Amino acid sequence: MKKRLISMFLVLILGTALIAENRSFQPGKIWYDTTGNPINAHAGGFLFHEDTYYWFGQIMIPGSRGSDAWVGVSCYSSTDLYHWEYKGVAFQVDDHAAHPVTRGCKIERPKVIYNEKTKKFVMWWHHDINGQGHKNAMTGIAMSDKVEGPYEFVRIFRPLPGFYPFNISEEMKNRPVPDMAKNFSFTGGSLPAEADSLLIFKRDLHTGQMARDMTLFVDDDGKAYHIYSSEENATLHIAELSDDYLGYTGRYARAFPGRFMEAPAIFKKDGNYYIIASGCTGWAPNAARSAVANHLFGPWEELGNPCQGNEAETTFNSQGTFVLPVQGKKNAFIFVADRWNPSCPNDARYVWLPVEFKENKLMLRWKDEWDLNEFE
Ligand code: GAL
């Protein structure tokens, strides 16, 4: 017994020492927080606030529905990007069956932004109702005075009922919605017709637009945007948020019609906006896409799959979730992705890789291990 205790103690000391010394990223390896537990923050988003990085993500558990929200959204903090301290459950599911965020609903791809004017932290996510799969395709909002939470539930909704995207033609606006679109529901992967001919945004004009995979982006002027897979996932919508970040101004654009972009991640470099997104194959990985624009609303120019080398066609067996700007370094951006594990969702791994810029394109190359010296 005494021997066992001593060896457990040694393992603990060794483990802690390894964690403390760890000064590199090891894509695909289990990543432990500062107390020695695997980081549980999937499809995450990041916020840099008062000299500290915060990582928010889905808490997943074992089991076939382990990626649904049984606990909520976690928060971790770090000052060096290598060591992450668990700050607790930032946004908790509710115990009441009638509550929109009742245990077992879907709270996917949570992202948090800070509103300088209201001094509130605002969380948005892709919401789906308990037991109804992904069919409702809604958006959720929660809010907090403190970065690590607790975040209070605000509402769930379908974006922008009654508003047309501003970048469609009068002809599209006036065309009737075909019957096929009225009864159409997403089965995964492609539409039976050209996305634009189905006029799905028009079909959903009164109910609000569908909103699944998503991210938020705050521009240098403080204006924020919600970028989400809409129209049965066929087309991205880019919608400007109101000044308090709790709703929309009503101005939104369609982008990449019919391209089935998911997992959008946006960043800005030298006045240009870049997007890295995935295709649409559920948990199975596919080839990433990238694009550039000089305004978030577009027009976007596609730059192709940024991945190079082995497993470029599966984004190194992962799907993006965020591009994280490294503070204090010039042009330093980290592509943050998830390597899903549907049979054991909590064991999904993180894949972090440096974004490289080559001949006006983006490039991602696999590295078994790397550190911030990779950047200038
Ligand atoms: C992925 C999506 C994930 C999750 C999954 C479910 O395409 O990016 O966030 O919704 O599908 O199949």
Side-chain angles (χ1 to χ4, degrees):
M1 181 67 183
K2 205 167 159 198
K3 255 190 180 166
R4 205 157 150 229
L5 272 177
I6 292 173
S7 61
M8 270 168 70
F9 183 68
L10 285 176
V11 166
L12 196 74
I13 299 278
L14 193 68
T16 315
L18 281 176
I19 291 161
E21 269 174 24
N22 184 18
R23 293 218 139 255
S24 66
F25 305 108
Q26 295 173 31
K29 295 270 156 56
I30 297 179
W31 195 345
Y32 296 97
D33 68 13
T34 51
T35 53
N37 293 311
I39 295 175
N40 196 336
H42 306 281
F46 296 77
L47 176 69
F48 186 72
H49 185 73
E50 292 179 348
D51 296 329
T52 304
Y53 296 93
Y54 293 88
W55 178 354
F56 300 88
Q58 288 173 241
I59 299 176
M60 295 193 177
I61 64 167
S64 62
R65 283 188 64 196
S67 57
D68 291 348
W70 304 102
V71 185
V73 176
S74 58
C75 175
Y76 293 79
S77 75
S78 174
T79 49
D80 63 5
L81 293 174
Y82 304 115
H83 302 97
W84 291 91
E85 183 186 329
Y86 182 53
K87 307 298 278 184
V89 181
F91 178 51
Q92 227 154 9
V93 294
D94 198 281
D95 281 329
H96 297 95
H99 196 283
V101 291
T102 187
R103 218 173 282 284
C105 70
K106 289 188 196 290
I107 300 177
E108 294 192 355
R109 300 192 171 270
K111 304 287 177 285
V112 173
I113 52 179
Y114 177 62
N115 191 298
E116 293 280 355
K117 288 189 189 132
T118 62
K119 308 285 174 218
K120 302 277 186 201
F121 297 88
V122 184
M123 181 185 290
W124 286 53
W125 68 90
H126 159 204
H127 190 88
D128 261 295
I129 292 168
N130 185 20
Q132 299 195 19
H134 283 102
K135 89 165 202 260
N136 292 284
M138 300 173 90
T139 295
I141 303 182
M143 193 166 71
S144 173
D145 291 326
K146 288 200 296 182
V147 60
E148 71 272 25
Y151 284 76
E152 299 281 335
F153 175 74
V154 177
R155 65 191 170 115
I156 56 163
F157 59 102
R158 274 279 191 95
L160 293 154
F163 288 88
Y164 275 110
F166 73 81
N167 61 345
I168 51 156
S169 64
E170 279 305 301
E171 187 275 324
M172 267 174 103
K173 220 183 220 177
N174 295 327
R175 221 188 303 149
V177 176
D179 286 343
M180 186 205 269
K182 287 183 192 148
N183 308 319
F184 180 79
S185 80
F186 177 65
T187 47
S190 64
L191 286 173
E194 269 285 288
D196 279 356
S197 71
L198 290 172
L199 295 175
I200 292 172
F201 66 87
K202 194 169 167 184
R203 177 197 73 184
D204 294 341
L205 189 66
H206 300 295
T207 53
Q209 299 298 319
M210 299 178 83
R212 290 197 180 111
D213 278 16
M214 56 141 279
T215 195
L216 298 175
F217 180 78
V218 182
D219 211 339
D220 303 330
D221 59 3
K223 272 207 177 307
Y225 299 82
H226 180 207
I227 299 102
Y228 52 94
S229 306
S230 196
E231 302 181 29
E232 305 290 349
N233 291 9
T235 299
L236 279 186
H237 287 184
I238 301 170
E240 190 179 70
L241 300 195
S242 52
D243 282 350
D244 60 7
Y245 300 169
L246 297 173
Y248 301 99
T249 61
R251 194 166 160 74
Y252 76 107
R254 301 172 74 234
F256 310 105
R259 289 283 289 134
F260 285 89
M261 303 283 234
E262 284 198 319
I266 303 254
F267 66 101
K268 189 177 186 180
K269 176 186 166 277
D270 300 333
N272 283 321
Y273 300 84
Y274 291 89
I275 185 167
I276 302 179
S278 72
C280 187
T281 52
W283 299 119
N286 54 55
R289 296 101 183 267
S290 61
V292 64
N294 54 26
H295 192 285
L296 255 190
F297 283 138
W300 290 88
E301 180 200 341
E302 287 210 40
L303 301 174
N305 181 356
C307 302
Q308 287 195 3
N310 284 346
E311 298 199 281
E313 288 311 303
T314 60
T315 314
F316 314 111
N317 187 13
S318 71
Q319 184 183 31
T321 182
F322 205 81
V323 174
L324 172 58
V326 180
Q327 304 298 315
K329 298 229 178 209
K330 203 169 167 278
N331 295 339
F333 299 91
I334 301 175
F335 174 67
V336 176
D338 298 277
R339 179 172 287 175
W340 299 123
N341 184 349
S343 61
C344 189
N346 57 311
D347 192 31
R349 306 290 172 83
Y350 310 103
V351 171
W352 288 32
L353 292 170
V355 178
E356 299 174 71
F357 299 90
K358 199 184 157 201
E359 292 154 13
N360 299 324
K361 289 194 172 188
L362 306 182
M363 188 165 75
L364 297 169
R365 288 186 292 178
W366 178 258
K367 293 183 190 312
D368 288 331
E369 185 167 6
W370 65 283
D371 62 36
L372 294 173
N373 293 320
E374 193 75 35
F375 303 115
E376 276 171 43

